[in-house]
């Protein structure tokens, strides 16, 4: 995932004056458009909202009261977000959770009762109840840490105000069949990340685009468009067989997703 940075400008007095003059163009353009739309007010959104009771009668914007603002561009640095599950804090909590689960399992074994018919039952003591509460508390804490981190990432992405956001509709059910990666995939909370991005984009009027499940973003060359079918998961660098283009696998996929969104948006 590529991180973006906002750039703050510190203009001098002459530059500020020039910028304010450019910003005033937006007010002039609005007033000019409103004057034009008054001739055909039936098609004007401002008049439509007025007639439908959603807004007041449209008026020209004042130079004194209008807010001067600028749109900014974003610069890609190629920096990626860290994996929260590999931090020392999360690892310590996971180890503590495992220890509690082992203690709980031993307590259940010690309080195992065999009935007359051979049926085995477990007697739940107060100590077992306390351990169960601690295990649930630890699970909830880990869940909250991961959800909070996802909220921070999605908020920073939406604050960049992109024109559109493209995400892959991953086949997580198929990915979970890999025993080596299933735990790591579950901890990433892909569905929660997609859910947060989707509703935050909707709140900020950003177009959210979801690709097809089997869209070959990683296997397609971002330069020539050639498809590389024999790309294994262990290959982290994409090397095109056709044009010889060499690029990071994730960066190549992100460029393809950007081009996919551009073709739709």
């Amino acid at each position: 995932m590529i991180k973006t940075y906002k750039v703050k400008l510190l203009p001098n007095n002459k530059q500020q004056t020039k910028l304010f003059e450019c910003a005033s163009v937006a007010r002039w353009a609005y007033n000019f458009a409103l004057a034009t739309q008054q001739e055909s007010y039936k098609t004007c959104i401002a008049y439509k909202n007025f007639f439908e009771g959603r807004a007041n009668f449209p008026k020209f914007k004042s130079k004194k009261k209008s807010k001067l603002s600028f749109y900014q561009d974003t610069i890609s640095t190629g920096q990626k977000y860290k994996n929260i599950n590999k931090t020392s804090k999360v690892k310590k909590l996971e180890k503590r959770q495992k220890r509690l689960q082992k203690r709980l399992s031993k307590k259940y074994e010690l309080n195992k009762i065999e009935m007359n018919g051979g049926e085995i039952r477990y007697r739940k003591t107060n100590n077992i109840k306390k351990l169960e509460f601690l295990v649930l508390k630890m699970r909830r804490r880990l869940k909250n840490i991961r959800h909070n981190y996802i909220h921070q990432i999605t908020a920073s992405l939406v604050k960049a105000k992109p024109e559109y956001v493209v995400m892959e509709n991953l086949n997580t059910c198929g990915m979970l069949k890999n025993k080596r990666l299933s735990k790591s995939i579950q901890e990433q909370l892909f569905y929660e990340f997609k859910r947060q991005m989707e509703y935050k984009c909707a709140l900020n009027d950003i177009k959210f685009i979801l690709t097809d499940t089997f869209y070959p973003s990683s296997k397609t060359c971002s330069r020539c468009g050639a498809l590389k079918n024999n790309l294994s998961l262990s290959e982290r660098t994409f090397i095109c067989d056709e044009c010889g283009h060499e690029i990071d696998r994730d960066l190549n996929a992100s460029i393809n997703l950007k081009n996919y969104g551009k073709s739709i948006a």
Side-chain angles (χ1 to χ4, degrees), residues 176-191:
L176 289 172
K177 292 179 181 178
N178 189 330
K179 294 181 180 180
R180 294 181 181 180
L181 299 175
S182 58
K183 184 178 180 296
S184 300
I185 292 169
Q186 287 177 336
E187 290 174 349
Q188 294 304 320
L189 304 175
F190 289 144
Y191 176 79

Side-chain angles (χ1 to χ4, degrees), residues 210-232:
L210 198 65
T211 66
D212 185 69
T213 305
F214 301 103
Y215 175 70
S217 60
S218 299
K219 297 182 178 181
T220 305
C221 178
S222 57
R223 177 180 289 179
C224 66
L227 194 64
K228 187 175 182 179
N229 292 316
N230 58 344
L231 184 69
S232 62

Side-chain angles (χ1 to χ4, degrees), residues 1-2 80 166-168 170 211 215-223 231 236-238 245 247-261:
M1 191 177 296
I2 299 175
K80 300 178 182 179
V166 186
M167 285 189 66
E168 289 184 285
L170 298 173
T211 66
Y215 175 70
S217 60
S218 299
K219 297 182 178 181
T220 305
C221 178
S222 57
R223 177 180 289 179
L231 184 69
R236 305 315 303 168
T237 302
F238 179 88
H245 182 50
I247 187 174
D248 179 77
R249 178 195 181 110
D250 296 329
L251 180 58
N252 179 66
S254 65
I255 295 172
N256 288 326
L257 290 173
K258 183 195 75 171
N259 296 332
Y260 178 89

Side-chain angles (χ1 to χ4, degrees), residues 35-220:
T36 305
Q37 289 293 345
Q38 283 178 347
E39 299 177 3
S40 56
Y41 63 88
K42 291 183 181 179
T43 60
C44 180
I45 297 176
Y47 279 99
K48 186 178 180 182
N49 291 335
F50 166 70
F51 286 120
E52 294 181 1
R54 293 196 297 266
N56 295 326
F57 189 82
K59 298 179 180 179
F60 292 110
K61 287 189 175 182
S62 171
K63 184 177 181 180
K64 296 179 180 180
K65 295 182 180 180
S66 60
K67 183 180 177 181
L68 301 176
S69 60
F70 300 89
Y71 285 101
Q72 64 175 14
D73 221 343
T74 54
I75 302 173
S76 173
T77 62
Q79 187 173 354
K80 300 178 182 179
Y81 290 98
K82 65 179 181 180
N83 188 350
I84 189 68
N85 298 300
K86 292 184 179 180
T87 57
S88 58
K89 182 180 180 180
V90 173
K91 285 182 177 180
K92 286 179 182 178
L93 291 174
E94 286 179 339
K95 286 182 179 179
R96 197 181 304 172
Q97 183 183 358
K98 287 181 180 179
R99 287 196 296 266
L100 289 171
Q101 287 174 334
K102 286 180 180 178
R103 285 175 56 190
L104 181 61
S105 180
K106 288 179 181 179
K107 288 286 184 183
Y108 268 115
E109 287 296 323
L110 291 172
N111 290 275
K112 184 169 58 176
I113 303 172
E114 188 173 349
M115 308 301 291
N116 295 330
E119 183 183 357
I120 296 175
R121 292 188 178 182
Y122 296 93
R123 185 166 56 90
K124 187 176 285 191
T125 63
N126 288 330
N127 288 334
I128 289 177
K129 291 179 181 178
K130 289 178 183 178
L131 283 172
E132 284 182 340
F133 174 75
L134 290 174
V135 171
L136 290 173
K137 189 176 179 181
M138 193 61 62
R139 285 178 181 172
R140 184 168 63 249
R141 188 177 178 186
L142 283 167
K143 181 182 177 182
N144 290 339
I145 289 172
R146 291 181 179 121
H147 278 238
N148 179 62
Y149 186 64
I150 292 174
H151 273 293
Q152 291 176 357
I153 294 175
T154 52
S156 66
L157 291 173
V158 171
K159 282 180 182 177
K161 295 182 180 179
E163 183 183 352
Y164 56 87
V165 172
V166 186
M167 285 189 66
E168 289 184 285
N169 188 13
L170 298 173
N171 181 21
T172 51
C173 292
M175 295 169 68
L176 289 172
K177 292 179 181 178
N178 189 330
K179 294 181 180 180
R180 294 181 181 180
L181 299 175
S182 58
K183 184 178 180 296
S184 300
I185 292 169
Q186 287 177 336
E187 290 174 349
Q188 294 304 320
L189 304 175
F190 289 144
Y191 176 79
E192 178 63 20
F193 186 88
K194 181 178 78 70
R195 186 190 70 83
Q196 290 188 22
M197 281 301 301
E198 194 167 4
Y199 86 78
K200 287 180 182 181
C201 285
L203 289 174
N204 291 273
D205 295 326
I206 299 171
K207 189 171 183 179
F208 182 81
I209 302 170
L210 198 65
T211 66
D212 185 69
T213 305
F214 301 103
Y215 175 70
S217 60
S218 299
K219 297 182 178 181
T220 305

